[in-house]
């Protein structure tokens, strides 16, 4: 049974700092991994999708890496801004095609 | 492309009433997933549908909840005789292929159900 864990559960950092969010999964037989952002009371916005054959994906100040063998992914945010404050969710499809989500990391960027 | 459209955005129902939540997937997407998010909890899988077929409903309560994705029209999540514990945000996602494909998932903005 696939389980997804995100650490830390919450993080507060001053504006301008670089930061790393962690995601681990128990079943390494994944086809892809997706990072989402969720603002309070809003839906999910897809940030990055990494295929199992890829090691990383980049979009602007965001970089996501994937190490299937160790069951880990990281989301790196460079030069953080107050607008980056949100909950970040990691998700993987399991063998039954269900998307399994972590509980998320609540990020607060201090102006 | 309007993305995944869910309506209504907010829905208030009295205990015992029925709630109908609608989801129109992105154009060209034939796979639809429903998720529920309880306050301060993570997203939990409810049901996975393709056109006219329920593929996996293992996450959906067996009583009072049902889902469909007809040949024409949106996917519907129906909750009969709602109770306070049904209050949550319900999200729909769509994909052109199954989760094992290369496209990932696109989520709607959700329907926030409040049972009073």
């Amino acid at each position: 049974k696939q389980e997804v864990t995100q650490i830390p559960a919450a993080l507060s950092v001053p504006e301008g700092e670089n930061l790393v969010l962690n995601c681990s999964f128990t079943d390494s037989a994944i086809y892809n991994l997706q990072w989402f952002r969720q603002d309070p009371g809003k839906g999910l916005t897809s940030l990055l999708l990494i295929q199992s054959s890829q090691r990383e994906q980049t979009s602007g100040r965001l970089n996501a890496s994937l190490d299937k063998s160790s069951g880990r992914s990281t989301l790196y945010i460079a030069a953080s801004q107050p607008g980056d404050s949100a909950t970040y969710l990691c998700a993987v499809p399991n063998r039954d095609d269900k998307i399994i989500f972590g509980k998320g990391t609540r990020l607060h960027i201090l102006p | 492309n309007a993305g995944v459209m869910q309506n209504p955005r907010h829905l208030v129902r009295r205990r015992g009433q029925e709630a109908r939540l609608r989801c129109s997937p992105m154009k060209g997407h034939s796979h639809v997933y429903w998720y529920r998010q309880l306050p301060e909890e993570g997203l939990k899988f409810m049901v996975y549908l393709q056109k006219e077929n329920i593929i996996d409903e293992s996450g959906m309560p067996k009583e009072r909840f049902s889902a469909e994705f007809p040949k024409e029209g949106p996917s519907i999540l129906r909750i009969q005789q709602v109770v306070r514990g049904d209050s949550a945000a319900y999200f729909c996602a769509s994909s052109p292929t199954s989760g094992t494909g290369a496209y990932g998932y696109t989520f709607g903005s959700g329907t926030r159900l409040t049972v009073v």
Side-chain angles (χ1 to χ4, degrees), chain A residues 25-84:
Chain A
F25 43 94
T26 53
D27 185 350
S28 62
I30 63 170
Y31 296 93
N32 58 54
L33 183 145
Q34 199 164 359
W35 281 93
F36 292 90
R37 167 187 173 141
Q38 185 177 28
D39 292 279
K42 304 292 186 183
L44 279 71
T45 300
S46 179
L47 297 173
L48 290 163
L49 171 67
I50 312 176
Q51 299 301 323
S52 60
S53 58
Q54 297 174 321
R55 301 281 288 186
E56 64 179 306
Q57 280 283 341
T58 298
S59 176
R61 294 182 294 108
L62 306 179
N63 176 277
S65 67
L66 175 64
D67 184 342
K68 270 186 62 175
S69 60
S70 66
R72 295 178 189 277
S73 175
T74 61
L75 179 67
Y76 175 82
I77 303 177
S80 57
Q81 302 172 358
D84 295 330

Side-chain angles (χ1 to χ4, degrees), chain B residues 45-106:
Chain B
F45 168 82
M46 296 184 74
V47 61
Y48 164 33
L49 310 103
Q50 294 180 28
K51 283 286 188 182
E52 300 184 275
N53 287 303
I54 296 175
I55 306 302
D56 185 341
E57 56 183 349
S58 60
M60 197 159 63
K62 292 191 174 4
E63 297 183 356
R64 303 189 298 107
F65 286 73
S66 62
E68 63 176 8
F69 188 16
K71 186 177 179 181
E72 301 291 338
S75 175
I76 306 287
L77 179 67
R78 183 182 177 204
I79 311 172
Q80 296 178 293
Q81 299 173 351
V82 296
V83 300
R84 288 229 169 105
D86 297 332
S87 296
Y90 293 82
F91 291 97
C92 167
S94 74
S95 177
T97 64
S98 69
T100 57
Y103 299 95
Y105 304 87
T106 302

Side-chain angles (χ1 to χ4, degrees), chain A residues 3 5 9 33 61 89 107-109:
Chain A
E3 293 182 4
T5 303
L33 183 145
R61 294 182 294 108
L89 296 160
L107 177 63
H108 182 47
I109 306 300

Side-chain angles (χ1 to χ4, degrees), chain B residues 21-41:
Chain B
L21 288 62
R22 287 176 289 277
C23 169
S24 296
M26 285 185 70
K27 187 176 181 180
H29 287 196
S30 59
H31 298 248
V32 167
Y33 305 78
W34 285 92
Y35 281 74
R36 178 164 64 175
Q37 187 175 40
L38 293 167
E40 303 304 319
E41 292 191 20

